[in-house]
Amino acid sequence: MTDSRERPGTSGAGDDDDAFGEADYLTGDGGVTRDLLDRRPVVPRTVAALYEARPKLNPNTAITEFLRRVHLQERHGHMRVVDDLIGLQRRVGDTIEHYKDKLLNAEAKSGATESAKFGIGHFDGQRAVVYVVDWAFFAGSLGEVAGEKFVQAAELAAREKLPLVSMGASSGVRQHENVLGLIQMQRMAAAANKFQHTTNRPYICVLAGQVWGGMSASAVPVADLVVALEGTDYGFAGARVIETFEGKQVPKGMQSAEANFLDRNVDVLVKDVDELIAFLGRIFAADRSVNKIRPEKDAGATRPSDVVDGGRAMTAGPEGFSAALWDHQVPEQTVQVPRARRDRPGTEMALREALMARYNEIAASAGRLDTEFFLQTVFDSAVPFYNHVRFEDEKTYPNVVAGLGTIGEQTFMVIGDQPSYRLSGGYVGKKPANPGPEDFEYAVRMMQAAQRWELPIVFFTDTLGALPTMAAERRGQSRAIAQSIKTSASHPLPTVSIISGAMGSGGGLATTPFGRHTVMLDSALGFVSEPRSTATILYAEANPTVEQVGMTLETMRASADDLRAQGLVDTIVHDAEDPYATSRALRAAIVEGYNRQYGLTPRRLRRQADDRLRPKTLGRLATEHD
């Protein structure tokens, strides 16, 4: 890929910590040589360009339509402020305006008695408790009434064992209530936490318009999933406050929901209320009971009639952000990507040559299968918790994606590395996934949601390593990787790890808990560090030769057969010429791995993993030493 672009989420102003320069395209913990990557020039991408192209959003219209669609059955709609709590005043011309005057004016304009309301709503047949903050009343500001209604909404959802949805637009804490308003942030965050610890139902926050201050730092970030309507702006301090403090202008679009998505502060963008209702309904409809899965013969997706043998279809839609739901996406271009393995299994290719072919293919070939393809083909149904963005020829995904996937009656949380692509005419180039701190933090939040929702997890791993930049180091790369490793290894329900490409270094281990059930494609590799980096260390050469890299790769025992011989891999799945055959085989392996763990307590799961990972050479070494 080109090295002239900026990292999505930066302004292009030249900040060394944020610039997405050459180092970000050096793949793996140490780097893949640049000749493996597509370097065709493209027009630089900036957040401002994406911001200018985003749709307009009227929050009042969106909230009104949302309330109509969910048929809200409101509770405690009469609740209102009855006293001038603080007495904050301002002079307006020759008169003094009191708080109660402001409330009466807001009520006359909006027809509501407060900014917040809550009750039972309906999402395509699924019931949920809905809390809505309406910008039309006092700019959606939060005070004692809004805080109390959120607390009561969370308590109602817990009593009724229903999901909780917080939706709307807010300017922050209402200044007229001072600290009495401010402490509603504490009450809302505590109520959300209590709900999450007393129920296995989802808590999802939806941003619709302007979301600032108190709302942005209480009810929003503690949610299991943060969803935003396109056209929303989101942050704690508004642009005027930041500009006053910093003495310089905030770049256009830097606090948009779109920029927040690129920085992983927002999980999913939806196009409109219609997609929002469908998205939430599919999440709530997913069965969360833990069931043993009946083995199926030849179950799973079959190759669509419009896809050529031995390949898959790569689609691209209009520029900007995709719809989150796949059936809401409108492809403008479709490219057939052949699945032709470079290591040519079944031929007389030498082992070292075959390993190098796999290594190069993992680094650069768009023909390899990715997490999104597996989500779409391994499972009976899936709900993606991410978007991709297209700008010029670039189809960019987050480095780590997640979603719900269902096999039979069992729902899984699916978490995996995801490459990005470039589509130019009939050519498809690939940029491998190099997760950074924000990606690992996202993965941890999805694992925590899976634990709360009582879901087993399927991990797909395909990364040569974590993002090797100083900016990533300063943002806490090591801590983020360690937290991801700890959370994945301690999940209290079954997990199945699938190494679909490279399991590279700590960045790969972060989403590959070993010791329970590990599946590996026969075209995949696993290594302690990216092989060129390992060769650099072994030979003390900044640019090791192909022969040195090849010998390193061959002797480090990185293949699926090697890892199975070491007791780390349970099942090897053939990466077939037909990608849909590969998906069917992976489905069977997931069912087998899940069923082996079904019914085991969290303590037993962890103990078995500990026992399997215990060093097997200690006894022999101790005997030899004696």
Side-chain angles (χ1 to χ4, degrees), residues 75 119-121 125-130 152-165 194-203 283-288 452-454:
R75 305 285 181 94
I120 303 291
Q126 302 296 320
R127 297 170 70 239
V129 172
V130 176
Q152 292 199 21
E155 291 175 347
L156 174 62
R159 284 197 309 271
E160 298 289 332
K161 295 181 172 57
L162 292 175
L164 175 63
V165 177
K194 181 179 178 181
F195 169 79
Q196 290 169 322
H197 281 81
T198 56
T199 175
N200 67 352
R201 307 308 289 163
Y203 166 41
I283 295 174
F284 301 154
D287 186 11
R288 283 170 179 79
R452 277 206 52 249
W453 302 353
E454 298 179 358

Side-chain angles (χ1 to χ4, degrees), residues 21-181:
E22 288 198 11
D24 297 72
Y25 281 86
L26 296 179
T27 307
D29 300 344
V32 164
T33 56
R34 302 185 60 79
D35 58 339
L36 289 177
L37 306 180
D38 172 35
R39 301 181 64 190
R40 303 182 185 191
V42 297
V43 177
R45 175 177 58 220
T46 65
V47 168
L50 294 170
Y51 178 76
E52 290 165 358
R54 74 178 187 162
K56 302 295 183 183
L57 175 66
N58 183 319
N60 296 334
T61 301
I63 291 167
T64 300
E65 175 64 11
F66 176 80
L67 289 171
R68 184 188 69 81
R69 290 286 305 277
V70 302
H71 305 290
L72 184 71
Q73 299 169 331
E74 189 177 1
R75 305 285 181 94
H76 300 296
H78 63 279
M79 200 181 298
R80 64 199 303 172
V81 173
V82 295
D83 293 318
D84 196 346
L85 300 173
I86 302 302
L88 182 65
Q89 305 171 4
R90 71 168 182 169
R91 180 175 294 279
V92 182
D94 295 330
T95 63
I96 299 295
E97 181 186 69
H98 296 266
Y99 179 32
K100 291 190 71 174
D101 298 329
K102 289 282 290 183
L103 290 173
L104 290 173
N105 288 336
E107 186 172 336
K109 289 179 180 178
S110 67
T113 60
E114 251 300 339
S115 61
K117 59 183 66 178
F118 78 99
I120 303 291
H122 302 80
F123 299 83
D124 292 340
Q126 302 296 320
R127 297 170 70 239
V129 172
V130 176
Y131 171 85
V132 175
V133 182
D134 193 346
W135 186 270
F137 186 96
F138 221 131
S141 54
L142 302 178
E144 284 197 317
V145 172
E148 177 62 21
K149 286 191 174 184
F150 183 89
V151 171
Q152 292 199 21
E155 291 175 347
L156 174 62
R159 284 197 309 271
E160 298 289 332
K161 295 181 172 57
L162 292 175
L164 175 63
V165 177
S166 170
M167 191 270 190
S170 174
S171 59
V173 173
R174 194 171 297 167
Q175 305 298 302
H176 301 74
E177 296 191 20
N178 200 28
V179 178
L180 288 174

Side-chain angles (χ1 to χ4, degrees), residues 297-374:
K297 186 176 182 180
D298 297 328
T302 57
R303 179 169 50 85
S305 58
D306 59 344
V307 177
V308 298
D309 289 349
R312 60 175 173 140
M314 178 76 67
T315 62
E319 286 194 355
F321 287 85
S322 67
L325 297 175
W326 297 315
D327 57 1
H328 284 236
Q329 297 177 11
V330 180
E332 292 184 340
Q333 178 186 3
T334 301
V335 179
Q336 300 292 336
V337 182
R339 180 68 189 104
R341 287 179 55 168
R342 295 184 181 181
D343 60 353
R344 302 195 299 276
T347 67
E348 297 300 319
M349 180 181 283
L351 175 60
R352 183 180 301 183
E353 184 184 359
L355 291 171
M356 285 294 289
R358 291 177 199 171
Y359 171 47
N360 292 335
E361 181 184 76
I362 288 169
S365 174
R368 290 197 67 88
L369 307 181
D370 58 28
T371 297
E372 181 169 81
F373 180 80
F374 293 133

Side-chain angles (χ1 to χ4, degrees), residues 142 170 172 185 207 211-222 234-237:
L142 302 178
S170 174
M185 294 173 62
L207 314 178
V211 181
W212 304 103
M215 191 72 178
S216 78
S218 59
V220 177
V222 298
Y234 169 57
F236 181 70

Side-chain angles (χ1 to χ4, degrees), residues 417 459-461 488 497-499 502-503 507-514 518:
D417 301 298
F459 295 96
F460 288 97
T461 300
S488 64
S497 302
I498 298 174
I499 304 173
M503 198 293 298
L509 185 63
T511 54
T512 317
F514 285 95
T518 303

